[in-house]
Amino acid sequence: MRYSENHIGNKNVSDEELLKTFSPASESKGPKDTGEFEEEELERLKQTGIDLTHPNRTGTFVQTNHTVQRCDCESSGIELLPVTAALKKYDGLKEYWWRLISAEKDSFTREADQELDNGYFIRALPGEKVIYPLQTCLYIRDENLAQRVHNIVIAEEGSELNIITGCSTHPHLRSGLHIGISEFYVKKGAKLTFTMIHNWGENVYVRPRTGIRVEEEGVFLSNYISLKGVKSVQTLPTATLTGPNAVARFNSVIVAPEGSDIDIGAEVILEAPGTRSEVVSRTISTGGRVVARGHLIGLAPDIKAHLECQGLILAEHGVIHAIPELEAHVAGVDMSHEAAVGRIAQEEIEYLMARGLDEEEATSTIVRGFLDVRINGLPPELNEELQEVVEECHKGM
Amino acid sequence: MLKIEDLWVEVQGRDILKGINLKIGTGETHCLFGKNGSGKTTLLMTLMGFSGYRVKHGHILFKGEDITYLPINERARRGLGVAFQRPPTLRGVQLKNLLALYSKETDIGSRLALAYNFEDFLERQVNLGFSGGEIKKSELLQLLAQSPDLLLLDEPESGVDVENLDVICQMIRKLLQKDIPAKRRKSGLIITHTGLILNYVNADRGHVMLNGQIYCHGNPLDIFERIKNYGYEECAKCRLFEQSLKI
Ligand SMILES: Nc1ncnc2c1ncn2[C@@H]1O[C@H](COP(=O)(O)OP(=O)(O)OP(=O)(O)O)[C@@H](O)[C@H]1O
Ligand SMILES: [Mg+2]
């Protein structure tokens, strides 16, 4: 079984059947602008790092169902457009559109190709460095919709760009399907940090398809966080490091409650000498199933790549399936992996108990540490903010 | 403060401690010497109640109460505290978070950092990539936040450089209330191989462990000197000598 299966009710269904279950977002009616969002909706968006009143954001993009409601950016060095507008402006974005992923890859890519709702186009001009992040929000507000987006992000030579993407559904919504195609281009010496926080409904299917290309000396950092129940997520971004010394780092923190089936990972192709990659996942099952994949492919000498899957099962029936793969095609590579799945080590719990904490306090201290999402390379303020989002979600666990 | 009576302990099906007797009074500091693998760490872990250390026979009395089968945290609450030789790594858990959990004092971390020169240390993940000396410091910092009545210190000065030795011994002196002899209530059991600590911290009594048994009780400096000059085996003979006197 390559991917998690789709289940509707108790039935296994094919991808095509799954697509038929939901109606196109284009047939829905959303509010005209984000000012009409209710308090609980704004609160929910905040849990994915999206704050519509936040002063420390360079730009904001909000797409609800199929409608782009906000698309504004303060920096003249950044171009932020609905992707449909960018396609018009740049004559079909030929160099970037379906270049890193094939539109024929599977039913979901075909669907997004044929029935596109919208998506964002972000481009940082050469040498442009923005401190505060851009926030992009993909929001499903009505029951039983299929939202299909295609995003293009380009960090031109020497630029630095920081994006927070919050994906979520209306607090009272249960079912939906999100298909998100994303293509990231990190050019020579550029640095792109992409932080994605998911907060879906418990019966929502999520099918991101992501390709990344990093050129010489470029850096791509991805941080993926999903702490709440979701029916099924299946994604395996592929990063290709095409230029010498390019770097890609993937960090994910996943909690799978009962009923959630989350199949995530990253594939990194290290094509050029001196490229480096790190794929780290920390997953917790509180009853759900997680498949944590990582596939590193070394095609050039002097590359360095490391894979790490740490899994904790905190319920009787959780499943964590770590699949680390290393594939080297030449001599002179330095590739390693580390995987550990199980319960919290008794030794760690007792260590804290020896200082006076009871077993429950000790366990929750360790779990909170496990869910620490601060990563190297993120601005400290953003790290703190993310950590707060996580702690907030963790309280409800 | 602490009384151990004929304690037999099994680890992984093997007898490691074989009839330990030991008494530590309130305000006293004792040193425990002994060869590698003789059972010193095992004794500390058993006193603290760690799983895997099965008491087969005997009792541990703390402040008059039998704590032989109490859970770990209950012992900690009653005033027992350990600085571990090899503590586990807690990923993502910052040292300052632990200090805050252990102490009622707000901002305990900053105060201790200031008092003992720990820049950049508080934000680190507990024991992750800590050097040998950093582990010792971090253990003692945690004990300072916890403030136990009986300190069990497992080789607190091993692997520590000369400058840090000074800091570490200051911390130990503080923990053991060495500067207020008249009001001293804290007791300690310190495992040491180097004896270096004795240059900074006065100890009242010394004991030698050999093969899961305690041989020879006496003045710690005398004992340490004997070990240096004649080796541990001599201590075994010394007890035989004591026993022969009794007969
Ligand atoms: N968890 C364990 N599993 C197997 N054997 C153990 C375990 N813990 C201790 N032992 C054994 O018990 C004996 C005593 O070990 P202990 O760690 O108490 O020695 P020690 O006196 O502290 O030595 P050192 O001076 O090297 O720290 C050793 O032979 C050790 O291998
Ligand atoms: Mg030891």
Side-chain angles (χ1 to χ4, degrees):
Chain A
M1 187 175 66
R2 172 89 176 120
Y3 293 133
S4 309
E5 289 159 353
N6 310 314
H7 301 269
I8 292 179
N10 290 321
K11 200 164 63 137
N12 285 356
V13 297
S14 69
D15 293 351
E16 287 74 21
E17 282 177 90
L18 184 66
L19 283 165
K20 281 189 210 130
T21 310
F22 299 97
S23 41
S26 47
E27 291 167 11
S28 71
K29 273 197 280 204
K32 278 278 172 296
D33 76 273
T34 53
E36 291 170 39
F37 283 171
E38 289 149 29
E39 199 50 45
E40 55 173 352
E41 293 182 87
L42 294 172
E43 226 13 74
R44 180 142 173 122
L45 295 183
K46 271 190 193 157
Q47 291 185 352
T48 63
I50 302 298
D51 188 341
L52 299 179
T53 58
H54 206 298
N56 299 339
R57 294 284 190 262
T58 297
T60 297
F61 173 93
V62 178
Q63 176 178 337
T64 299
N65 301 344
H66 68 299
T67 312
V68 174
Q69 294 181 288
R70 269 188 69 176
C71 186
D72 45 74
C73 183
E74 284 167 14
S75 164
S76 56
I78 304 284
E79 208 178 347
L80 173 63
L81 294 169
V83 84
T84 46
L87 284 167
K88 282 206 193 84
K89 181 173 173 185
Y90 291 109
D91 195 21
L93 284 168
K94 290 199 180 62
E95 276 176 71
Y96 303 105
W97 195 248
W98 292 116
R99 289 293 154 187
L100 301 180
I101 310 159
S102 160
E104 291 303 314
K105 182 183 162 74
D106 58 29
S107 319
F108 302 107
T109 54
R110 276 193 293 277
E111 170 84 5
D113 189 33
Q114 286 153 22
E115 306 286 339
L116 180 69
D117 290 319
N118 217 325
Y120 51 81
F121 170 85
I122 299 174
R123 184 169 146 232
L125 300 186
E128 184 67 28
K129 296 189 172 158
V130 282
I131 304 167
Y132 294 119
L134 266 87
Q135 55 182 356
T136 61
C137 172
L138 300 167
Y139 182 45
I140 304 181
R141 201 165 185 259
D142 295 286
E143 194 70 51
N144 254 353
L145 291 188
Q147 182 185 52
R148 297 141 309 185
V149 303
H150 191 147
N151 310 309
I152 301 286
V153 177
I154 305 164
E156 297 284 1
E157 274 192 31
S159 64
E160 264 182 42
L161 186 59
N162 208 320
I163 301 171
I164 299 179
T165 289
C167 300
S168 77
T169 43
H170 189 277
H172 300 302
L173 177 155
R174 281 180 47 83
S175 292
L177 168 66
H178 170 87
I179 301 171
I181 312 298
S182 300
E183 299 181 85
F184 294 90
Y185 297 86
V186 182
K187 301 204 179 164
K188 192 174 166 187
K191 179 175 174 188
L192 173 59
T193 305
F194 184 73
T195 301
M196 182 155 71
I197 307 178
H198 278 180
N199 190 359
W200 300 106
E202 60 191 53
N203 214 12
V204 175
Y205 292 80
V206 186
R207 295 289 181 268
R209 297 290 180 264
T210 305
I212 301 125
R213 191 174 74 204
V214 190
E215 297 177 7
E216 186 176 348
E217 306 279 345
V219 176
F220 177 77
L221 299 180
S222 155
N223 201 11
Y224 174 64
I225 300 163
S226 174
L227 306 172
K228 293 296 179 68
V230 54
K231 180 72 185 183
S232 153
V233 179
Q234 186 273 306
T235 179
L236 189 72
T238 300
T240 310
L241 308 182
T242 60
N245 304 323
V247 174
R249 260 209 329 254
F250 291 85
N251 190 44
S252 42
V253 175
I254 312 277
V255 176
E258 181 92 49
S260 292
D261 191 341
I262 302 179
D263 183 331
I264 58 123
E267 185 172 75
V268 182
I269 305 166
L270 298 101
E271 273 183 6
T275 51
R276 280 172 293 143
S277 180
E278 196 176 74
V279 176
V280 177
S281 67
R282 274 168 294 154
T283 60
I284 290 182
S285 167
T286 53
R289 174 170 175 269
V290 184
V291 182
R293 298 172 193 276
H295 189 180
L296 301 174
I297 304 166
L299 302 179
D302 302 321
I303 58 133
K304 191 170 167 62
H306 181 67
L307 200 62
E308 195 175 313
C309 312
Q310 308 272 354
L312 282 185
I313 302 183
L314 300 181
E316 283 292 305
H317 303 294
V319 176
I320 294 180
H321 184 170
I323 311 178
E325 290 182 72
L326 301 180
E327 190 181 326
H329 291 258
V330 289
V333 300
D334 175 357
M335 300 171 79
S336 57
H337 81 72
E338 200 183 324
V341 172
R343 65 167 73 116
I344 299 174
Q346 186 66 15
E347 188 196 13
E348 294 175 22
I349 295 175
E350 294 190 348
Y351 179 58
L352 296 179
M353 288 174 73
R355 304 260 144 85
L357 303 189
D358 65 31
E359 190 165 352
E360 222 166 89
E361 293 166 331
T363 305
S364 94
T365 301
I366 292 164
V367 170
R368 216 174 303 131
F370 192 81
L371 291 177
D372 188 298
V373 290
R374 278 172 276 239
I375 56 169
N376 286 337
L378 273 193
E381 311 83 47
L382 184 55
N383 260 334
E384 287 312 316
E385 194 186 318
L386 281 178
Q387 190 57 31
E388 277 165 30
V389 169
V390 169
E391 304 243 326
E392 207 45 48
C393 289
H394 177 243
K395 277 183 202 153
M397 236 171 79
Chain B
M1 174 86 55
L2 179 76
K3 192 170 172 201
I4 304 173
E5 293 173 347
D6 195 22
L7 189 67
W8 290 71
V9 173
E10 177 187 275
V11 180
Q12 306 254 313
R14 236 179 80 204
D15 282 344
I16 305 292
L17 301 183
K18 303 163 190 166
I20 301 285
N21 292 294
L22 190 69
K23 245 163 101 172
I24 300 178
T26 301
E28 287 177 10
T29 298
H30 291 215
C31 277
L32 186 58
F33 305 100
K35 268 189 177 175
N36 293 134
S38 57
K40 303 180 297 297
T41 298
T42 302
L43 176 61
L44 258 52
M45 300 302 267
T46 307
L47 292 177
M48 204 64 228
F50 271 71
S51 58
Y53 300 84
R54 202 174 75 80
V55 175
K56 285 172 69 179
H57 185 81
H59 294 280
I60 304 165
L61 301 172
F62 183 60
K63 298 178 181 169
E65 180 189 8
D66 188 339
I67 60 160
T68 317
Y69 300 102
L70 274 189
I72 303 174
N73 55 316
E74 291 300 330
R75 303 183 198 212
R77 267 179 215 163
R78 282 162 174 71
L80 225 56
V82 197
F84 293 92
Q85 189 177 10
R86 271 186 301 271
T89 298
L90 304 180
R91 272 170 198 278
V93 181
Q94 294 180 320
L95 185 56
K96 65 172 180 202
N97 297 346
L98 288 192
L99 298 178
L101 281 173
Y102 299 152
S103 172
K104 289 191 195 73
E105 185 185 326
T106 46
D107 233 13
I108 174 103
S110 332
R111 182 175 70 73
L112 292 175
L114 202 68
Y116 299 101
N117 286 324
F118 294 103
E119 295 87 18
D120 306 338
F121 202 53
L122 296 174
E123 319 269 307
R124 298 266 304 266
Q125 300 177 42
V126 177
N127 299 325
L128 181 67
F130 279 18
S131 72
E134 284 169 344
I135 286 183
K136 307 294 177 197
K137 277 194 193 173
S138 139
E139 289 294 296
L140 292 173
L141 265 188
Q142 292 176 51
L143 287 183
L144 280 163
Q146 187 192 345
S147 187
D149 297 329
L150 173 62
L151 289 124
L152 307 168
L153 308 180
D154 202 343
E155 301 189 25
E157 88 283 38
S158 295
V160 175
D161 66 40
V162 219
E163 271 172 44
N164 277 305
L165 183 64
D166 207 58
V167 180
I168 274 177
C169 289
Q170 270 182 48
M171 296 168 91
I172 295 174
R173 289 184 62 82
K174 176 82 185 163
L175 282 164
L176 289 170
Q177 300 176 326
K178 284 298 182 193
D179 298 321
I180 45 168
K183 287 195 239 159
R184 187 185 303 143
R185 307 296 303 161
K186 308 272 184 180
S187 311
L189 178 61
I190 306 178
I191 298 178
T192 174
H193 286 294
T194 66
L196 278 176
I197 194 141
L198 293 170
N199 300 333
Y200 297 78
V201 180
N202 287 338
D204 302 290
R205 265 177 97 68
H207 314 271
V208 180
M209 189 174 287
L210 264 175
N211 193 22
Q213 290 182 294
I214 290 185
Y215 292 75
C216 176
H217 310 270
N219 177 291
L221 287 170
D222 289 347
I223 293 180
F224 188 62
E225 214 169 278
R226 266 188 98 85
I227 294 171
K228 267 200 303 197
N229 296 335
Y230 307 106
Y232 291 103
E233 306 302 336
E234 277 306 303
C235 294
K237 288 187 190 140
C238 168
R239 186 176 86 153
L240 292 178
F241 178 67
E242 271 179 26
Q243 281 177 346
S244 65
L245 281 186
K246 270 184 220 156
I247 299 163

